[in-house]
Amino acid sequence: MTGRYKSVVNKSAFYAAIAVAVLCAATGSALRRASAEDAVEALKQKGTITSGVANEAPWMVVGADGSLTGVGPDVDREALAATGISSFAAQVMDYGAMIPALQARRVDIISSGALFIKPARCEQVIYSEPVVCNSEGFMMKAALKGKIQSYKDVADANLRIGVCGGCSEQRFATEAGVAAQNMVIIPDGVSAVKMLQDGRIDLFGLPDGSLEALQGQNPDPQLAVVFPVKGTPIGCGGAAFNKEDVALRDLYNQGLAKIVANGRYAQIMAKYGLSSHVPLRQGQTTAALCSASQ
């Protein structure tokens, strides 16, 4: 009798504990939803979202009058507008300054045209889902075309290569054994072309779309563009956010999904001659890119 009584009490306590746990979980979930909704509403009320950008066509283009276009800003603006955020501003900065600016909250977002999604960066910021994907390429002296197809070729030939500081190209060169004294930091693509024409470097590395745009702006028969670079992966960039700004990142992802679904994303890519890049992002996820070995 006593044993049965204890059993009943124990069962009652067990079911009561389950009920409390379910109630707490539901309450916690409701609070999280309310918190996220409040954060989103605060973002919409804020008025202006400020983006960190560089000046590298076709990804980000800052006009002489201060106007901002390019694949990244256009996608960012449209994705945010699709969720109710219509005021968008930008600050031009070097690539190396972007993550520190985001962490210090001098900007709210780093443009999707700026930073590849890499594991080391995923420890410092949070990313949207992939926005633009591309392959790696070289712009070189035309005489080198056909001879240099990889970063190892660059190392073996003891060539001087331009790379942007902290970018994937610098890592590819380092891993392939390019000597430190043969790596020249380039501030932007336009400067790199001039350095190449002046003989200060033999070639430089950038994503394929950047090189195609530079070639279109500088139709120099003495220069050639080669891609993809052997031994380099497909890279994808996304909009980057402060690690605490999960609500803004989620809002951006909602807007991105909307403009992909309604065809506006494809129109933006076509506007910059990048229709062939649209399929590259299919199947790519930020989770996979953040955990990749490359």
Side-chain angles (χ1 to χ4, degrees):
M1 187 72 176
T2 303
R4 287 177 58 191
Y5 175 74
K6 286 182 179 179
S7 176
V8 170
V9 170
N10 288 341
K11 286 182 180 179
S12 298
F14 174 72
Y15 289 125
I18 291 178
V20 170
V22 170
L23 179 60
C24 288
T27 303
S29 178
L31 287 172
R32 285 193 295 273
R33 283 199 302 273
S35 177
E37 289 169 1
D38 289 345
V40 168
E41 188 57 34
L43 290 167
K44 292 181 179 180
Q45 294 298 322
K46 179 179 177 180
T48 300
I49 295 296
T50 302
S51 173
V53 302
N55 191 6
E56 183 185 338
W59 314 112
M60 299 157 288
V61 182
V62 182
D65 60 353
S67 59
L68 180 64
T69 55
V71 179
D74 282 8
V75 170
D76 300 338
R77 193 181 290 111
E78 295 271 354
L80 290 168
T83 61
I85 297 177
S86 57
S87 185
F88 184 79
Q91 287 185 24
V92 181
M93 58 187 65
D94 292 337
Y95 287 103
M98 288 179 169
I99 289 179
L102 191 62
Q103 292 173 325
R105 294 197 174 279
R106 292 192 292 272
V107 294
D108 303 298
I109 174 178
I110 298 300
S111 176
S112 59
L115 299 176
F116 281 135
I117 302 169
K118 296 294 182 181
R121 290 176 179 159
C122 294
E123 295 178 3
Q124 300 174 289
V125 300
I126 53 175
Y127 279 97
S128 69
E129 286 305 313
V131 174
V132 289
C133 299
N134 45 52
S135 63
E136 289 292 328
F138 289 142
M139 181 176 281
M140 60 181 65
K141 299 289 182 65
L144 292 174
K145 187 174 182 179
K147 301 175 183 177
I148 304 299
Q149 301 179 48
S150 68
Y151 280 90
K152 185 176 186 306
D153 291 342
V154 175
D156 292 345
N158 200 34
L159 297 174
R160 295 163 300 167
I161 182 169
V163 295
C164 73
C167 293
S168 299
E169 293 79 18
Q170 185 177 33
R171 179 169 61 82
F172 295 147
T174 300
E175 292 176 350
V178 176
Q181 63 268 25
N182 282 342
M183 282 187 272
V184 181
I185 302 301
I186 54 174
D188 53 60
V190 174
S191 300
V193 173
K194 185 68 167 59
M195 293 166 72
L196 187 56
Q197 291 171 325
D198 291 346
R200 286 183 283 165
I201 55 177
D202 300 301
L203 74 166
F204 65 91
L206 281 175
D208 52 15
S210 299
L211 294 173
E212 289 175 309
L214 288 168
Q215 188 177 46
Q217 296 166 7
N218 304 272
D220 186 339
Q222 299 301 312
L223 305 181
V225 168
V226 175
F227 62 84
V229 175
K230 288 184 178 179
T232 58
I234 295 294
C236 295
F241 305 84
N242 187 290
K243 295 201 85 168
E244 295 179 357
D245 289 342
V246 175
L248 179 55
R249 189 275 311 275
D250 292 349
L251 196 66
Y252 183 100
N253 276 338
Q254 291 171 24
L256 177 62
K258 287 180 180 179
I259 66 172
V260 168
N262 66 23
R264 183 59 186 142
Y265 169 82
Q267 291 172 0
I268 293 171
M269 297 296 280
K271 173 183 173 182
Y272 294 98
L274 297 170
S275 292
S276 62
H277 289 235
V278 173
L280 290 180
R281 70 181 293 275
Q282 294 175 4
Q284 302 283 356
T285 67
T286 294
L289 292 165
C290 281
S291 61
S293 58
Q294 287 287 347

